[in-house]
Amino acid sequence: MSNPIIGLCTLEMHLPGVMSLKEKRSVIKPMLSRIRKQFNVSAAEIDLQDKWQTTCISIATVTNSSTHAQQTINTVIKWIETNFPDNLIINQEIEVI
């Protein structure tokens, strides 16, 4: 039996043009939902919930290969950059445990 590998990515993002928490939710919730459905990963907003134009989200995957975990995380990041170009990633941390 192989050991499980966890891929974890934390992204701090700037959301220019967002002027309220309600508007922020209307951007973040659909993005997280689409990430979960398309990539079969866990995704959640983990910090900065009370800030209008900034958010911190985490994406996690569990697999049996560190290479697969890294590839999945990288694919999700590229997908976010392509499908949500207005949401600027200002910091990212990736861990494979």
Side-chain angles (χ1 to χ4, degrees):
M1 177 159 117
S2 64
N3 292 329
I5 304 294
I6 301 167
L8 176 64
C9 175
T10 303
L11 301 174
E12 185 177 346
M13 301 176 74
H14 177 65
L15 312 170
V18 173
M19 296 300 178
S20 69
L21 291 176
K22 185 176 181 179
E23 189 176 350
K24 177 183 176 181
R25 280 192 308 273
S26 74
V27 172
I28 296 299
K29 287 183 85 172
M31 179 176 66
L32 293 175
S33 179
R34 287 179 61 191
I35 290 169
R36 288 185 206 109
K37 288 179 186 176
Q38 186 156 344
F39 298 101
N40 194 27
V41 296
S42 295
E45 183 178 22
I46 61 161
D47 198 5
L48 306 172
Q49 290 95 337
D50 58 342
K51 304 287 184 192
W52 292 1
Q53 293 187 335
T54 317
T55 189
C56 188
I57 64 170
S58 281
I59 299 137
T61 185
V62 178
T63 182
N64 61 356
S65 163
S66 59
T67 303
H68 183 258
Q70 186 71 44
Q71 287 174 340
T72 300
I73 296 297
N74 289 337
T75 301
V76 172
I77 292 170
K78 287 179 185 168
W79 182 86
I80 291 170
E81 292 172 336
T82 300
N83 291 281
F84 296 89
D86 293 339
N87 301 346
L88 307 173
I89 297 173
I90 47 179
N91 190 23
Q92 72 181 33
E93 295 179 20
I94 300 173
E95 292 182 74
V96 178
I97 306 166

Coordinates of all heavy atoms in Angstrom, one line a residue:
M1 N 0.8 -1.2 0.0 CA 0.0 0.0 0.0 C 0.9 1.2 0.0 O 1.8 1.4 0.8 CB -0.9 0.0 1.2 CG -1.7 1.2 1.3 SD -3.0 0.9 2.3 CE -3.5 1.4 3.6
S2 N 0.6 2.2 -0.9 CA 1.4 3.4 -1.0 C 0.9 4.4 -0.1 O -0.3 4.4 0.3 CB 1.5 3.9 -2.4 OG 0.2 4.3 -2.9
N3 N 1.8 5.3 0.3 CA 1.4 6.4 1.1 C 0.6 7.5 0.3 O 1.0 7.8 -0.8 CB 2.6 7.1 1.8 CG 3.2 6.1 2.8 OD1 2.6 5.3 3.4 ND2 4.5 6.2 2.9
P4 N -0.4 8.1 0.9 CA -1.1 9.2 0.2 C -0.2 10.4 0.1 O 0.6 10.8 1.1 CB -2.3 9.5 1.1 CG -2.0 8.9 2.4 CD -1.0 7.8 2.2
I5 N -0.3 11.1 -1.0 CA 0.4 12.4 -1.2 C -0.6 13.5 -1.2 O -1.6 13.4 -1.9 CB 1.2 12.4 -2.5 CG1 2.1 11.2 -2.6 CG2 1.9 13.7 -2.8 CD1 3.3 11.2 -1.6
I6 N -0.4 14.6 -0.5 CA -1.3 15.7 -0.5 C -0.6 16.9 -1.2 O 0.5 17.3 -0.9 CB -1.6 16.1 1.0 CG1 -2.3 14.9 1.7 CG2 -2.5 17.3 1.0 CD1 -2.4 15.1 3.2
G7 N -1.3 17.4 -2.2 CA -0.9 18.7 -2.8 C -1.8 19.8 -2.3 O -3.0 19.7 -2.3
L8 N -1.1 20.9 -1.8 CA -1.8 22.0 -1.3 C -1.3 23.3 -1.9 O -0.1 23.5 -1.9 CB -1.6 22.1 0.2 CG -2.2 23.2 1.0 CD1 -3.7 23.2 0.9 CD2 -1.8 23.2 2.4
C9 N -2.2 24.1 -2.3 CA -1.9 25.4 -2.9 C -2.7 26.5 -2.3 O -3.9 26.4 -2.1 CB -2.1 25.4 -4.4 SG -1.9 27.0 -5.2
T10 N -2.0 27.5 -1.8 CA -2.7 28.7 -1.3 C -2.4 29.9 -2.2 O -1.2 30.2 -2.5 CB -2.2 29.0 0.2 OG1 -2.4 27.8 0.9 CG2 -2.9 30.1 0.8
L11 N -3.5 30.5 -2.6 CA -3.4 31.7 -3.5 C -3.9 32.9 -2.9 O -5.1 32.9 -2.4 CB -4.1 31.4 -4.8 CG -3.7 30.2 -5.6 CD1 -4.7 30.1 -6.8 CD2 -2.3 30.4 -6.2
E12 N -3.2 34.0 -2.8 CA -3.7 35.3 -2.5 C -4.0 36.0 -3.7 O -3.1 36.1 -4.6 CB -2.7 36.1 -1.6 CG -3.2 37.3 -1.1 CD -2.3 38.1 -0.2 OE1 -1.2 37.5 0.3 OE2 -2.5 39.3 0.1
M13 N -5.2 36.5 -3.8 CA -5.6 37.2 -5.1 C -6.2 38.6 -4.9 O -6.8 38.8 -3.9 CB -6.7 36.3 -5.8 CG -6.2 34.9 -6.1 SD -7.5 33.8 -6.7 CE -7.6 34.5 -8.4
H14 N -5.9 39.4 -5.9 CA -6.5 40.8 -5.9 C -7.6 40.8 -6.9 O -7.5 40.3 -8.0 CB -5.4 41.8 -6.3 CG -5.9 43.2 -6.4 ND1 -6.4 43.9 -5.3 CD2 -6.1 44.0 -7.5 CE1 -6.8 45.1 -5.7 NE2 -6.6 45.1 -7.1
L15 N -8.8 41.3 -6.5 CA -10.0 41.4 -7.3 C -10.3 42.8 -7.6 O -11.1 43.4 -7.0 CB -11.1 40.7 -6.5 CG -10.9 39.3 -5.9 CD1 -12.0 38.9 -5.0 CD2 -10.6 38.3 -6.9
P16 N -9.6 43.4 -8.6 CA -9.9 44.8 -9.0 C -11.3 45.0 -9.4 O -11.9 44.1 -10.1 CB -8.9 45.1 -10.1 CG -8.6 43.7 -10.7 CD -8.7 42.7 -9.6
G17 N -11.9 46.1 -9.1 CA -13.2 46.5 -9.5 C -14.3 46.0 -8.6 O -15.5 46.4 -8.7
V18 N -14.0 45.1 -7.6 CA -15.0 44.6 -6.7 C -15.2 45.7 -5.6 O -14.3 46.2 -5.0 CB -14.5 43.3 -6.0 CG1 -15.5 42.9 -4.9 CG2 -14.4 42.2 -7.1
M19 N -16.5 46.1 -5.4 CA -16.8 47.2 -4.5 C -17.6 46.8 -3.3 O -18.1 47.7 -2.6 CB -17.5 48.3 -5.3 CG -16.7 48.9 -6.4 SD -15.2 49.6 -5.7 CE -14.4 50.2 -7.1
S20 N -17.9 45.5 -3.1 CA -18.7 45.1 -2.0 C -18.4 43.6 -1.7 O -17.9 42.9 -2.6 CB -20.2 45.3 -2.2 OG -20.6 44.4 -3.1
L21 N -18.7 43.2 -0.5 CA -18.5 41.8 -0.1 C -19.5 40.9 -1.0 O -19.2 39.8 -1.3 CB -18.8 41.6 1.4 CG -17.7 42.1 2.3 CD1 -18.1 41.9 3.7 CD2 -16.3 41.5 2.0
K22 N -20.7 41.4 -1.2 CA -21.6 40.7 -2.1 C -21.1 40.5 -3.5 O -21.2 39.4 -4.0 CB -23.0 41.5 -2.1 CG -24.1 40.7 -2.9 CD -25.4 41.5 -2.8 CE -26.5 40.8 -3.5 NZ -27.7 41.5 -3.4
E23 N -20.5 41.5 -4.0 CA -19.9 41.4 -5.4 C -18.7 40.4 -5.3 O -18.5 39.6 -6.3 CB -19.4 42.7 -5.9 CG -19.0 42.8 -7.3 CD -18.6 44.2 -7.8 OE1 -18.9 45.2 -7.1 OE2 -18.1 44.2 -8.9
K24 N -17.9 40.4 -4.2 CA -16.8 39.5 -4.1 C -17.3 38.1 -4.1 O -16.8 37.2 -4.8 CB -16.1 39.8 -2.8 CG -14.9 38.9 -2.5 CD -14.3 39.2 -1.2 CE -13.2 38.2 -0.9 NZ -12.6 38.5 0.4
R25 N -18.4 37.8 -3.3 CA -18.9 36.5 -3.3 C -19.4 36.0 -4.6 O -19.3 34.8 -5.0 CB -20.1 36.4 -2.3 CG -19.7 36.3 -0.8 CD -20.9 35.9 0.1 NE -22.0 36.8 -0.1 CZ -22.2 37.9 0.6 NH1 -21.3 38.4 1.4 NH2 -23.2 38.7 0.4
S26 N -19.9 37.0 -5.4 CA -20.4 36.6 -6.8 C -19.3 36.2 -7.7 O -19.6 35.6 -8.8 CB -21.3 37.7 -7.3 OG -20.5 38.8 -7.8
V27 N -18.1 36.6 -7.4 CA -16.9 36.2 -8.2 C -16.3 34.9 -7.6 O -16.0 34.0 -8.4 CB -15.9 37.4 -8.2 CG1 -14.6 36.9 -8.8 CG2 -16.4 38.6 -8.8
I28 N -16.1 34.9 -6.3 CA -15.4 33.7 -5.7 C -16.2 32.4 -5.7 O -15.6 31.4 -6.0 CB -15.0 34.1 -4.3 CG1 -14.0 35.3 -4.3 CG2 -14.4 32.9 -3.5 CD1 -12.7 35.0 -5.0
K29 N -17.5 32.5 -5.3 CA -18.2 31.2 -5.2 C -18.3 30.5 -6.5 O -18.1 29.2 -6.6 CB -19.6 31.5 -4.7 CG -19.6 31.9 -3.2 CD -21.0 32.0 -2.6 CE -21.5 30.7 -2.3 NZ -22.8 30.7 -1.6
P30 N -18.6 31.1 -7.7 CA -18.6 30.4 -8.9 C -17.3 29.8 -9.3 O -17.2 28.7 -9.9 CB -19.1 31.4 -10.0 CG -19.8 32.5 -9.2 CD -19.1 32.5 -7.9
M31 N -16.2 30.6 -9.1 CA -14.9 30.1 -9.4 C -14.5 28.9 -8.6 O -14.1 27.9 -9.1 CB -13.8 31.2 -9.1 CG -12.4 30.8 -9.4 SD -11.2 32.1 -9.2 CE -11.3 32.3 -7.4
L32 N -14.8 28.9 -7.3 CA -14.5 27.7 -6.4 C -15.3 26.5 -6.9 O -14.8 25.4 -6.9 CB -14.7 28.0 -5.0 CG -13.7 29.1 -4.4 CD1 -14.2 29.4 -2.9 CD2 -12.3 28.6 -4.4
S33 N -16.6 26.7 -7.2 CA -17.4 25.6 -7.6 C -16.9 25.0 -8.9 O -16.9 23.8 -9.0 CB -18.9 26.2 -7.8 OG -19.7 25.2 -8.2
R34 N -16.6 25.8 -9.8 CA -16.0 25.3 -11.1 C -14.7 24.6 -10.9 O -14.5 23.5 -11.6 CB -15.9 26.4 -12.1 CG -17.2 26.9 -12.6 CD -17.1 28.1 -13.6 NE -16.3 27.7 -14.8 CZ -15.9 28.5 -15.7 NH1 -16.2 29.8 -15.6 NH2 -15.2 28.1 -16.8
I35 N -13.9 25.0 -10.1 CA -12.6 24.4 -9.8 C -12.9 23.0 -9.2 O -12.3 22.0 -9.6 CB -11.7 25.2 -8.8 CG1 -11.2 26.4 -9.5 CG2 -10.6 24.3 -8.2 CD1 -10.5 27.4 -8.6
R36 N -13.8 22.9 -8.2 CA -14.1 21.6 -7.6 C -14.6 20.6 -8.6 O -14.2 19.4 -8.7 CB -15.2 21.8 -6.5 CG -14.6 22.5 -5.3 CD -15.7 22.5 -4.2 NE -15.5 23.6 -3.3 CZ -16.3 24.7 -3.2 NH1 -17.3 24.9 -4.0 NH2 -15.9 25.7 -2.4
K37 N -15.6 21.1 -9.5 CA -16.2 20.2 -10.4 C -15.2 19.7 -11.5 O -15.2 18.6 -11.9 CB -17.4 20.9 -11.1 CG -18.6 21.0 -10.1 CD -19.7 21.7 -10.8 CE -20.9 21.9 -9.8 NZ -22.0 22.7 -10.4
Q38 N -14.5 20.7 -12.1 CA -13.6 20.4 -13.2 C -12.4 19.6 -12.8 O -12.0 18.7 -13.6 CB -13.2 21.7 -13.9 CG -12.4 21.4 -15.2 CD -12.5 22.6 -16.1 OE1 -13.3 23.5 -16.0 NE2 -11.6 22.6 -17.1
F39 N -11.8 19.8 -11.7 CA -10.6 19.1 -11.3 C -10.7 18.1 -10.2 O -9.7 17.5 -9.8 CB -9.5 20.2 -11.0 CG -9.2 21.1 -12.1 CD1 -9.8 22.4 -12.1 CD2 -8.4 20.7 -13.1 CE1 -9.5 23.3 -13.2 CE2 -8.2 21.6 -14.2 CZ -8.7 22.8 -14.2
N40 N -11.8 17.9 -9.6 CA -12.1 17.0 -8.5 C -11.1 17.2 -7.4 O -10.4 16.3 -6.9 CB -12.0 15.5 -9.0 CG -12.5 14.5 -8.0 OD1 -13.3 14.9 -7.2 ND2 -12.0 13.3 -8.1
V41 N -11.0 18.5 -7.0 CA -10.1 18.9 -5.8 C -11.0 19.6 -4.8 O -12.1 19.9 -5.1 CB -9.0 19.8 -6.3 CG1 -8.1 19.1 -7.3 CG2 -9.5 21.1 -6.9
S42 N -10.4 19.8 -3.6 CA -11.1 20.6 -2.6 C -10.6 22.1 -2.8 O -9.5 22.3 -3.1 CB -10.7 20.2 -1.2 OG -11.2 18.9 -1.0
A43 N -11.6 23.0 -2.7 CA -11.2 24.4 -2.9 C -12.1 25.2 -1.9 O -13.3 25.0 -1.8 CB -11.4 24.9 -4.3
A44 N -11.5 26.2 -1.2 CA -12.2 27.1 -0.3 C -11.5 28.4 -0.1 O -10.3 28.5 -0.2 CB -12.4 26.3 1.0
E45 N -12.3 29.4 0.2 CA -11.8 30.7 0.7 C -11.4 30.5 2.1 O -12.2 30.2 2.9 CB -12.8 31.8 0.5 CG -12.2 33.2 0.8 CD -13.2 34.3 0.6 OE1 -14.4 34.0 0.6 OE2 -12.8 35.4 0.5
I46 N -10.1 30.8 2.5 CA -9.7 30.5 3.8 C -9.3 31.7 4.6 O -9.1 31.6 5.8 CB -8.5 29.5 3.8 CG1 -7.3 30.1 3.0 CG2 -8.8 28.2 3.2 CD1 -6.0 29.5 3.3
D47 N -9.2 32.9 4.0 CA -8.8 34.1 4.7 C -9.2 35.3 4.0 O -9.6 35.2 2.8 CB -7.3 34.1 4.9 CG -6.8 35.0 6.0 OD1 -7.7 35.6 6.7 OD2 -5.6 35.2 6.2
L48 N -9.2 36.4 4.6 CA -9.5 37.7 4.0 C -11.0 37.8 3.6 O -11.3 38.5 2.6 CB -8.6 38.1 2.9 CG -7.1 38.0 3.2 CD1 -6.2 38.2 2.0 CD2 -6.7 39.1 4.2
Q49 N -11.9 37.1 4.3 CA -13.3 37.1 3.9 C -13.9 38.5 4.0 O -14.9 38.8 3.4 CB -14.1 36.1 4.7 CG -13.8 34.6 4.3 CD -12.8 34.0 5.2 OE1 -12.0 34.7 5.9 NE2 -12.8 32.7 5.3
D50 N -13.4 39.3 4.9 CA -14.0 40.6 5.2 C -13.4 41.7 4.3 O -13.7 42.9 4.5 CB -13.9 41.0 6.6 CG -12.5 41.0 7.2 OD1 -11.6 40.4 6.5 OD2 -12.2 41.5 8.2
K51 N -12.4 41.4 3.4 CA -11.8 42.4 2.5 C -12.5 42.3 1.2 O -12.7 41.3 0.6 CB -10.3 42.1 2.4 CG -9.6 42.0 3.7 CD -9.4 43.4 4.3 CE -8.5 43.3 5.5 NZ -8.5 44.5 6.3
W52 N -12.8 43.5 0.6 CA -13.5 43.5 -0.7 C -12.7 43.0 -1.8 O -13.2 42.3 -2.7 CB -14.0 44.9 -1.0 CG -15.0 45.5 -0.1 CD1 -15.6 44.9 1.0 CD2 -15.6 46.8 -0.1 NE1 -16.5 45.7 1.6 CE2 -16.5 46.9 0.9 CE3 -15.4 47.9 -1.0 CZ2 -17.3 48.0 1.1 CZ3 -16.2 49.0 -0.8 CH2 -17.1 49.1 0.3
Q53 N -11.5 43.5 -2.0 CA -10.7 43.3 -3.2 C -9.6 42.3 -3.0 O -8.8 42.2 -3.9 CB -10.2 44.6 -3.7 CG -11.2 45.6 -4.2 CD -10.7 46.8 -4.9 OE1 -9.6 47.2 -4.6 NE2 -11.5 47.4 -5.7
T54 N -9.6 41.6 -1.9 CA -8.5 40.6 -1.7 C -9.1 39.3 -1.2 O -10.1 39.3 -0.4 CB -7.5 41.1 -0.7 OG1 -7.2 42.5 -1.0 CG2 -6.2 40.3 -0.8
T55 N -8.6 38.2 -1.6 CA -9.0 36.9 -1.1 C -7.8 36.0 -1.0 O -6.8 36.2 -1.6 CB -10.1 36.3 -2.0 OG1 -10.7 35.2 -1.3 CG2 -9.6 35.9 -3.3
C56 N -8.0 34.9 -0.2 CA -7.0 33.9 0.0 C -7.8 32.6 -0.1 O -8.7 32.3 0.7 CB -6.3 34.0 1.3 SG -4.9 32.9 1.5
I57 N -7.4 31.8 -1.2 CA -8.1 30.5 -1.4 C -7.1 29.4 -1.3 O -5.9 29.6 -1.6 CB -8.9 30.5 -2.7 CG1 -7.9 30.6 -3.9 CG2 -9.9 31.5 -2.8 CD1 -8.6 30.3 -5.2
S58 N -7.5 28.2 -0.9 CA -6.7 27.0 -0.9 C -7.3 26.0 -1.8 O -8.5 25.8 -1.8 CB -6.5 26.5 0.5 OG -5.5 27.3 1.1
I59 N -6.4 25.2 -2.4 CA -6.8 24.1 -3.3 C -6.0 22.9 -2.8 O -4.8 23.0 -2.6 CB -6.5 24.4 -4.8 CG1 -7.3 25.6 -5.2 CG2 -6.9 23.2 -5.6 CD1 -6.5 26.5 -6.1
A60 N -6.7 21.8 -2.6 CA -6.0 20.6 -2.1 C -6.4 19.4 -2.9 O -7.6 19.2 -3.4 CB -6.3 20.3 -0.7
T61 N -5.4 18.5 -3.2 CA -5.7 17.2 -3.8 C -5.0 16.1 -3.1 O -3.9 16.3 -2.5 CB -5.3 17.3 -5.3 OG1 -5.6 16.1 -6.0 CG2 -3.8 17.5 -5.5
V62 N -5.5 14.9 -3.2 CA -4.9 13.7 -2.6 C -4.7 12.7 -3.7 O -5.6 12.4 -4.4 CB -5.8 13.1 -1.4 CG1 -5.1 11.9 -0.9 CG2 -6.0 14.2 -0.4
T63 N -3.5 12.2 -3.8 CA -3.2 11.2 -4.8 C -2.1 10.3 -4.3 O -1.7 10.4 -3.2 CB -2.7 12.0 -6.1 OG1 -2.4 11.1 -7.1 CG2 -1.5 12.9 -5.8
N64 N -1.6 9.4 -5.2 CA -0.5 8.5 -4.8 C 0.8 8.9 -5.4 O 1.8 8.1 -5.3 CB -0.9 7.0 -5.1 CG -1.1 6.8 -6.6 OD1 -1.1 7.8 -7.4 ND2 -1.3 5.6 -7.0
S65 N 0.8 10.0 -6.1 CA 2.0 10.5 -6.8 C 2.3 11.9 -6.6 O 1.4 12.8 -6.8 CB 1.9 10.2 -8.3 OG 2.8 10.9 -9.1
S66 N 3.5 12.3 -6.2 CA 3.8 13.7 -6.0 C 3.8 14.4 -7.3 O 3.5 15.6 -7.3 CB 5.2 13.8 -5.2 OG 6.2 13.2 -5.9
T67 N 4.2 13.8 -8.4 CA 4.2 14.4 -9.7 C 2.8 14.7 -10.1 O 2.5 15.8 -10.6 CB 4.8 13.4 -10.7 OG1 6.2 13.1 -10.3 CG2 4.9 14.1 -12.1
H68 N 1.9 13.8 -9.9 CA 0.5 14.1 -10.2 C -0.1 15.2 -9.4 O -0.9 16.0 -9.9 CB -0.4 12.8 -10.0 CG -1.8 12.9 -10.4 ND1 -2.8 13.1 -9.5 CD2 -2.4 13.0 -11.6 CE1 -3.9 13.3 -10.1 NE2 -3.7 13.2 -11.4
A69 N 0.2 15.3 -8.1 CA -0.3 16.3 -7.2 C 0.2 17.7 -7.7 O -0.5 18.6 -7.9 CB 0.2 16.1 -5.8
Q70 N 1.5 17.8 -8.1 CA 2.1 19.0 -8.6 C 1.5 19.4 -9.9 O 1.1 20.6 -10.1 CB 3.6 18.8 -8.8 CG 4.3 20.1 -9.2 CD 4.4 21.1 -8.0 OE1 4.7 20.8 -6.9 NE2 4.1 22.4 -8.3
Q71 N 1.3 18.4 -10.8 CA 0.7 18.7 -12.1 C -0.8 19.2 -12.0 O -1.2 20.2 -12.6 CB 0.7 17.5 -13.0 CG 2.0 17.1 -13.5 CD 2.0 15.8 -14.3 OE1 1.2 15.0 -14.1 NE2 3.0 15.6 -15.1
T72 N -1.5 18.6 -11.1 CA -2.9 19.0 -10.8 C -3.0 20.5 -10.3 O -3.7 21.3 -10.8 CB -3.6 18.1 -9.8 OG1 -3.6 16.8 -10.4 CG2 -5.0 18.5 -9.6
I73 N -2.1 20.8 -9.3 CA -2.1 22.1 -8.8 C -1.7 23.1 -9.9 O -2.4 24.2 -10.0 CB -1.1 22.2 -7.6 CG1 -1.6 21.4 -6.4 CG2 -0.9 23.7 -7.2 CD1 -3.0 21.8 -5.8
N74 N -0.7 22.8 -10.7 CA -0.3 23.7 -11.7 C -1.4 23.9 -12.8 O -1.6 25.0 -13.3 CB 1.0 23.2 -12.4 CG 2.2 23.4 -11.5 OD1 2.3 24.2 -10.6 ND2 3.2 22.5 -11.8
T75 N -2.1 22.9 -13.1 CA -3.2 23.0 -14.1 C -4.3 23.9 -13.5 O -4.8 24.7 -14.3 CB -3.7 21.5 -14.4 OG1 -2.6 20.8 -14.9 CG2 -4.8 21.6 -15.4
V76 N -4.6 23.7 -12.3 CA -5.7 24.6 -11.7 C -5.2 26.0 -11.7 O -6.0 26.9 -12.1 CB -6.0 24.1 -10.2 CG1 -6.9 25.1 -9.5 CG2 -6.6 22.7 -10.2
I77 N -4.0 26.3 -11.4 CA -3.5 27.7 -11.4 C -3.6 28.3 -12.8 O -4.1 29.4 -13.0 CB -2.1 27.8 -10.8 CG1 -2.0 27.5 -9.3 CG2 -1.5 29.2 -11.1 CD1 -0.7 27.3 -8.7
K78 N -3.1 27.5 -13.8 CA -3.2 28.0 -15.2 C -4.7 28.2 -15.6 O -5.0 29.2 -16.3 CB -2.5 27.0 -16.1 CG -1.0 27.1 -16.0 CD -0.3 26.1 -16.9 CE 1.2 26.2 -16.6 NZ 1.9 25.1 -17.2
W79 N -5.5 27.3 -15.2 CA -7.0 27.5 -15.5 C -7.5 28.8 -14.9 O -8.3 29.5 -15.6 CB -7.7 26.2 -15.0 CG -9.2 26.2 -15.3 CD1 -9.8 25.8 -16.5 CD2 -10.2 26.8 -14.5 NE1 -11.1 26.0 -16.4 CE2 -11.4 26.6 -15.2 CE3 -10.3 27.3 -13.2 CZ2 -12.7 26.9 -14.7 CZ3 -11.5 27.7 -12.7 CH2 -12.7 27.5 -13.4
I80 N -7.2 29.1 -13.6 CA -7.6 30.3 -13.0 C -7.1 31.5 -13.8 O -7.9 32.4 -14.1 CB -7.2 30.4 -11.5 CG1 -7.9 29.3 -10.7 CG2 -7.4 31.8 -11.0 CD1 -7.3 29.2 -9.3
E81 N -5.9 31.5 -14.1 CA -5.3 32.6 -14.9 C -6.0 32.8 -16.2 O -6.1 33.9 -16.7 CB -3.8 32.4 -15.1 CG -3.0 32.5 -13.8 CD -1.6 32.1 -13.9 OE1 -1.2 31.4 -14.8 OE2 -0.8 32.6 -13.0
T82 N -6.4 31.7 -16.9 CA -7.0 31.8 -18.2 C -8.4 32.2 -18.1 O -8.9 33.0 -18.9 CB -6.9 30.4 -18.9 OG1 -5.5 30.1 -19.0 CG2 -7.5 30.4 -20.3
N83 N -9.2 31.6 -17.2 CA -10.6 31.8 -17.1 C -11.1 33.0 -16.2 O -12.2 33.4 -16.4 CB -11.3 30.5 -16.6 CG -11.2 29.4 -17.6 OD1 -12.0 29.4 -18.6 ND2 -10.3 28.5 -17.5
F84 N -10.2 33.5 -15.4 CA -10.5 34.6 -14.5 C -9.3 35.6 -14.6 O -8.6 35.8 -13.6 CB -10.7 34.1 -13.1 CG -11.9 33.3 -12.9 CD1 -11.9 31.9 -13.1 CD2 -13.2 33.8 -12.7 CE1 -13.0 31.1 -12.9 CE2 -14.3 33.1 -12.5 CZ -14.2 31.7 -12.7
P85 N -9.0 36.1 -15.8 CA -7.8 37.0 -16.0 C -7.9 38.3 -15.1 O -6.8 38.9 -14.9 CB -7.8 37.3 -17.5 CG -9.2 37.1 -17.9 CD -9.8 36.0 -17.0
D86 N -9.1 38.7 -14.7 CA -9.2 39.9 -13.9 C -8.8 39.7 -12.5 O -8.4 40.7 -11.8 CB -10.6 40.5 -14.0 CG -11.0 41.0 -15.4 OD1 -10.1 41.3 -16.2 OD2 -12.2 41.1 -15.6
N87 N -8.8 38.5 -12.0 CA -8.4 38.1 -10.7 C -6.9 37.8 -10.7 O -6.4 36.8 -11.1 CB -9.2 36.9 -10.2 CG -10.6 37.1 -10.2 OD1 -11.1 38.2 -10.3 ND2 -11.4 36.0 -10.0
L88 N -6.1 38.8 -10.1 CA -4.7 38.7 -10.2 C -4.1 37.9 -9.0 O -4.4 38.2 -7.9 CB -4.1 40.1 -10.2 CG -4.7 41.1 -11.2 CD1 -4.1 42.5 -11.0 CD2 -4.3 40.6 -12.6
I89 N -3.3 36.9 -9.3 CA -2.7 36.1 -8.3 C -1.4 36.9 -7.8 O -0.5 37.2 -8.6 CB -2.3 34.7 -8.8 CG1 -3.5 33.9 -9.2 CG2 -1.4 34.0 -7.7 CD1 -3.2 32.6 -9.8
I90 N -1.4 37.4 -6.6 CA -0.3 38.2 -6.1 C 0.7 37.4 -5.2 O 1.8 37.8 -5.0 CB -0.8 39.4 -5.3 CG1 -1.9 39.1 -4.3 CG2 -1.3 40.5 -6.2 CD1 -2.4 40.3 -3.5
N91 N 0.2 36.2 -4.8 CA 1.1 35.3 -4.0 C 0.6 33.9 -4.1 O -0.6 33.7 -4.1 CB 1.2 35.8 -2.5 CG 2.3 35.1 -1.8 OD1 3.3 34.5 -2.4 ND2 2.2 35.0 -0.5
Q92 N 1.5 33.0 -4.3 CA 1.1 31.6 -4.3 C 2.1 30.7 -3.5 O 3.3 31.0 -3.6 CB 0.9 31.0 -5.7 CG 2.2 30.8 -6.5 CD 1.9 30.3 -7.9 OE1 0.9 30.7 -8.5 NE2 2.8 29.5 -8.4
E93 N 1.6 29.7 -2.8 CA 2.5 28.8 -2.1 C 2.0 27.4 -2.4 O 0.8 27.1 -2.3 CB 2.4 29.0 -0.6 CG 2.9 30.3 -0.1 CD 2.8 30.6 1.4 OE1 2.6 29.6 2.1 OE2 2.9 31.7 1.8
I94 N 2.9 26.5 -2.8 CA 2.5 25.2 -3.2 C 3.3 24.2 -2.3 O 4.5 24.4 -2.1 CB 2.8 24.9 -4.7 CG1 2.0 25.8 -5.6 CG2 2.6 23.4 -5.0 CD1 2.4 25.7 -7.0
E95 N 2.6 23.3 -1.7 CA 3.3 22.3 -0.9 C 2.8 20.9 -1.3 O 1.7 20.7 -1.6 CB 2.9 22.4 0.6 CG 3.4 23.6 1.3 CD 3.0 23.6 2.8 OE1 3.6 22.8 3.5 OE2 2.1 24.4 3.1
V96 N 3.7 20.0 -1.4 CA 3.4 18.6 -1.7 C 3.9 17.8 -0.5 O 5.1 17.8 -0.2 CB 4.0 18.1 -3.0 CG1 3.7 16.6 -3.2 CG2 3.5 18.9 -4.2
I97 N 3.0 17.2 0.2 CA 3.4 16.5 1.5 C 3.2 15.0 1.3 O 2.2 14.5 0.9 CB 2.4 17.0 2.6 CG1 2.5 18.5 2.7 CG2 2.8 16.4 3.9 CD1 1.4 19.2 3.5

